[in-house]
Amino acid sequence: MNDSAAKINRPLHWFAIATAIATFLLLGAGGLVTSHEAGMSVPDWPNSYGYNMFAFPPSKWVGGIFYEHTHRLWATVVGLMTTILAVWIFAKDFRKWMKWLGVAAFLGVIAQGVLGGLRVTMKMDDLGVVHGVVGQSFFVLICAIALFTGGLWQKISEQKLNVSRGLRNLVLATTVLIFLQLILGATMRGQHAGLAIPDFPTAYGKIWPDTSAQAVANYNAASKNPENITAFQINLQMVHRAMALTIFVFICVTAFFAWRKLGARDSFAKFAFFWFALIIVQITLGAATILTNKAADVATAHVLVGALSLAIGALGCIIAFRRSLRTATVENQNAAVIAFGNLAANK
Amino acid sequence: MKKTLLSAVIAIFGVQIFAADITGTITFKGTPPAENSLTEMESMSDCISMHDTTPTTHFYVVNSTNGGFGDVVVYLKNVSAKSTGASAKPAVLDQVGCLYTPGIMAIQTGQTLTVKNSDPCNHNVHGISEANGKETTIFNDQQPSGGAELTYTFDKPEMFFKFECNIHPWMKAWVCIFDHPYFAVTDADGKFTIKNVPPGKYTIEANHRKLGAQSQEIEVKDSGATANFTFNAPAAAK
Ligand SMILES: [Cu+2]
């Protein structure tokens, strides 16, 4: 196992990290598009107002077009980086499953680009939600590639296998909840439900607001926002809030068990603490989104920290699975070897 | 003989000969909520240069002297008449100084809605249906400065179909679509006229986009009818 450290391709690892950072920034650019309601500001695609997108003059990047166009341009950068990453992995990484991950990333970035284009040209609003969810899933994939190409992964593979299956499953369940929360959040953004309730932690002064037709009419009459809201939007936001509370409880339990079972100095426990802190930041940003009447930069930060929470959760799952393998049964171990690969076996 | 002639005239012109107008005034009681200043516009020279001061929203068009309430849509409910939209003159929605003019309008199904761009900059014309309580994009077209007029028609009636521009996120307009010709939008004095209504009993409704709808029963006689409504300021703004 020790000689495998020599096998780490440092430039590839750093390039994978750079691609992950570029993808994170792209999520931010995409978040700004939605926060500024600019998703439809350029009705054509891949052209921009009839121009080739690379020749579209900056003097025309005004208002919402600025967000939409820079998002498209930056997406091509991420597309190019992902293509290079996939080819590089295919050529240089000796692990077969890594080659497949590279291929998946390449196909993912193409699909994501086409989804973004179709959302505009087919005028399908629900595709905007799918585009948001696929984008964050793609970010998780790139983060995983960055993890697998680095020395940390080898260190983890050599570490004591001491993460219990209970803790591992807890991390998995929490990550799944965060993914569901992402789908809810993306739907809220697509349906402009972020402004459906003006107060937090209460909702129209109550724990669960009145959504009768009369109550909604009263909310709209008193609201300063241009758009009228619907009971559907209110309920959507309430479910998002309830889910946030559920995730918070799960994270608390996860961090507590990681601390009790592994000790505060263990790297996995530290990961759990960081995740916990991230969720606190995320809930604060969610509250701030409501209280600032959905200021675009706050709402976008909420999207980004959400993406980071998901990615950290997913990496945590992978590490937890890796560190719980040998405590599992032999069959489980074999299954996991197939799932995550084994450096020694594939050599 | 005289009676026969009259019958013939009725036969030829149908009920139109006895049609009359419904007139009325919509009044706003209380202090209207403050409008939002469109400060986002200040950083966009093409837009702000067309205004002396930063414009505001116009959600509550209230005449401060007589309380007349503008931009209220008034219409008859459950009428059997068919849309005459196909032969009606096109309605016009213009974009001036990066604002929609008018902000609230009403048209018939089958009637052409012409969208113009009188600005020195691009707009995208994004039509969104909110029927079913969910936003659905129906069309989205670019309209460059000096670009050709865009035309749209609608098959189904809908209250407050939304137009927006995503380049200038404050730009929003709402269009009510009816499948009959008996509707009007109140002017800046809160006055409206629904023309050529056949005599009979009707339910008339007045609908403000933020305050919702009120209705009353009226009878239109040969001499016409009057219907007045009063809207109260929303609770939070009182
Ligand atoms: Cu515009």
Side-chain angles (χ1 to χ4, degrees):
Chain A
M1 269 301 226
N2 283 339
D3 63 336
S4 63
K7 295 286 180 193
I8 289 171
N9 185 334
R10 290 204 178 280
L12 174 60
H13 177 54
W14 283 109
F15 188 72
I17 290 175
T19 308
I21 293 170
T23 305
F24 187 68
L25 294 177
L26 183 59
L27 290 180
L32 282 174
V33 169
T34 318
S35 298
H36 287 277
E37 290 186 33
M40 297 300 265
S41 62
V42 182
D44 49 348
W45 180 87
N47 283 350
S48 294
Y49 283 90
Y51 289 87
N52 175 298
M53 66 179 288
F54 300 107
F56 187 51
S59 62
K60 292 185 184 290
W61 303 6
V62 295
I65 297 175
F66 174 82
Y67 301 106
E68 173 66 9
H69 193 65
T70 48
H71 178 54
R72 291 184 187 187
L73 288 178
W74 191 245
T76 65
V77 172
V78 172
L80 193 65
M81 288 179 83
T82 306
T83 308
I84 293 169
L85 183 66
V87 171
W88 197 339
I89 289 171
F90 209 86
K92 294 289 182 186
D93 202 301
F94 55 87
R95 296 165 293 183
K96 212 174 209 166
W97 57 274
M98 271 301 287
K99 293 183 197 286
W100 283 112
L101 275 190
V103 170
F106 175 71
L107 294 177
V109 83
I110 299 288
Q112 175 66 347
V114 171
L115 267 176
L118 288 181
R119 187 266 174 274
V120 169
T121 54
M122 309 267 295
K123 307 169 187 37
M124 284 170 68
D125 306 288
D126 293 338
L127 276 188
V129 177
V130 177
H131 186 61
V133 173
V134 172
Q136 297 212 6
S137 306
F138 174 77
F139 174 60
V140 169
L141 177 59
I142 298 295
C143 287
I145 288 176
L147 172 71
F148 294 142
T149 52
L152 178 66
W153 181 242
Q154 294 201 343
K155 227 174 98 190
I156 291 161
S157 305
E158 291 156 8
Q159 239 165 3
K160 256 197 315 178
L161 304 180
N162 55 358
V163 173
S164 72
R165 273 191 290 169
L167 180 56
R168 178 194 78 189
N169 291 343
L170 195 55
V171 174
L172 179 64
T174 310
T175 306
V176 169
L177 286 179
I178 293 178
F179 186 72
L180 294 177
Q181 181 74 324
L182 153 68
I183 295 174
L184 275 173
T187 308
M188 279 181 64
R189 289 169 70 71
Q191 285 296 322
H192 307 297
L195 292 171
I197 306 168
D199 51 339
F200 182 90
T202 52
Y204 289 103
K206 293 184 180 169
I207 291 175
W208 200 279
D210 185 356
T211 55
S212 65
Q214 186 54 50
V216 173
N218 290 344
Y219 303 150
N220 282 324
S223 165
K224 290 201 70 169
N225 294 321
E227 310 281 344
N228 283 343
I229 51 139
T230 61
F232 170 70
Q233 290 172 315
I234 296 173
N235 288 326
L236 194 56
Q237 186 176 129
M238 286 310 293
V239 173
H240 191 66
R241 289 181 181 200
M243 183 65 105
L245 187 63
T246 311
I247 291 169
F248 177 73
V249 171
F250 269 74
I251 288 271
C252 287
V253 175
T254 304
F256 179 75
F257 275 108
W259 169 53
R260 289 308 296 267
K261 298 206 167 176
L262 302 169
R265 301 176 70 88
D266 180 89
S267 60
F268 194 79
K270 283 181 189 157
F271 141 79
F273 299 154
F274 177 67
W275 204 21
F276 174 78
L278 212 53
I279 294 296
I280 302 279
V281 172
Q282 178 64 347
I283 291 174
T284 309
L285 283 170
T289 302
I290 294 162
L291 299 176
T292 60
N293 204 27
K294 211 172 138 206
D297 39 0
V298 178
T300 305
H302 186 58
V303 170
L304 281 178
V305 175
L308 210 52
S309 307
L310 176 68
I312 292 292
L315 296 190
C317 282
I318 293 168
I319 293 169
F321 268 88
R322 191 72 181 163
R323 281 183 58 177
S324 65
L325 285 191
R326 259 182 261 155
T327 54
T329 63
V330 175
E331 292 97 303
N332 281 349
Q333 187 182 353
N334 287 341
V337 165
I338 293 160
F340 294 109
N342 183 301
L343 291 171
N346 275 313
K347 209 153 80 174
Chain B
M1 182 64 194
K2 229 178 182 175
K3 216 168 182 184
T4 328
L5 189 67
L6 186 63
S7 309
V9 169
I10 291 171
I12 292 164
F13 295 100
V15 288
Q16 287 299 319
I17 193 165
F18 288 133
D21 295 351
I22 304 171
T23 56
T25 305
I26 316 284
T27 311
F28 185 91
K29 231 172 99 182
T31 310
E35 301 287 344
N36 307 328
S37 177
L38 302 175
T39 47
E40 280 175 284
M41 194 193 276
E42 287 165 4
S43 60
M44 306 193 71
S45 57
D46 281 339
C47 301
I48 199 72
S49 63
M50 304 199 37
H51 301 274
D52 296 331
T53 55
T54 305
T56 67
T57 51
H58 291 95
F59 299 149
Y60 293 87
V61 178
V62 177
N63 184 318
S64 54
T65 41
N66 58 21
F69 195 14
D71 278 357
V72 179
V73 185
V74 189
Y75 46 91
L76 299 184
K77 288 195 81 172
N78 308 322
V79 289
S80 56
K82 295 274 182 296
S83 167
T84 58
S87 58
K89 137 175 168 270
V92 177
L93 179 60
D94 200 357
Q95 297 163 98
V96 189
C98 299
L99 294 174
Y100 281 111
T101 323
I104 299 281
M105 61 191 299
I107 61 170
Q108 287 191 67
T109 51
Q111 183 177 3
T112 302
L113 175 62
T114 303
V115 180
K116 297 204 291 190
N117 180 5
S118 303
D119 280 332
C121 58
N122 288 342
H123 294 293
N124 74 288
V125 180
H126 185 183
I128 300 163
S129 166
E130 294 176 308
N132 317 326
K134 188 175 174 293
E135 297 204 349
T136 309
T137 294
I138 305 298
F139 49 79
N140 184 40
D141 299 297
Q142 46 180 292
Q143 193 171 36
S145 171
E149 290 176 350
L150 298 168
T151 56
Y152 302 98
T153 53
F154 300 84
D155 301 334
K156 286 194 202 115
E158 182 174 340
M159 290 307 287
F160 301 112
F161 179 96
K162 183 168 70 167
F163 277 76
E164 67 179 29
C165 170
N166 306 100
I167 303 173
H168 311 109
W170 61 83
M171 284 180 69
K172 292 177 197 291
W174 288 269
V175 178
C176 295
I177 302 142
F178 296 96
D179 55 2
H180 60 78
Y182 306 120
F183 57 84
V185 180
T186 57
D187 63 17
D189 287 322
K191 296 200 183 308
F192 72 92
T193 304
I194 300 176
K195 287 200 154 86
N196 299 325
V197 183
K201 289 185 174 169
Y202 297 97
T203 303
I204 187 169
E205 195 159 87
N207 198 333
H208 183 260
R209 195 180 65 83
K210 286 184 89 62
L211 292 180
Q214 293 181 16
S215 59
Q216 53 178 268
E217 306 301 316
I218 56 162
E219 183 171 3
V220 178
K221 301 205 168 104
D222 293 351
S223 56
T226 308
N228 299 320
F229 292 88
T230 301
F231 282 83
N232 291 317
K238 259 177 197 163

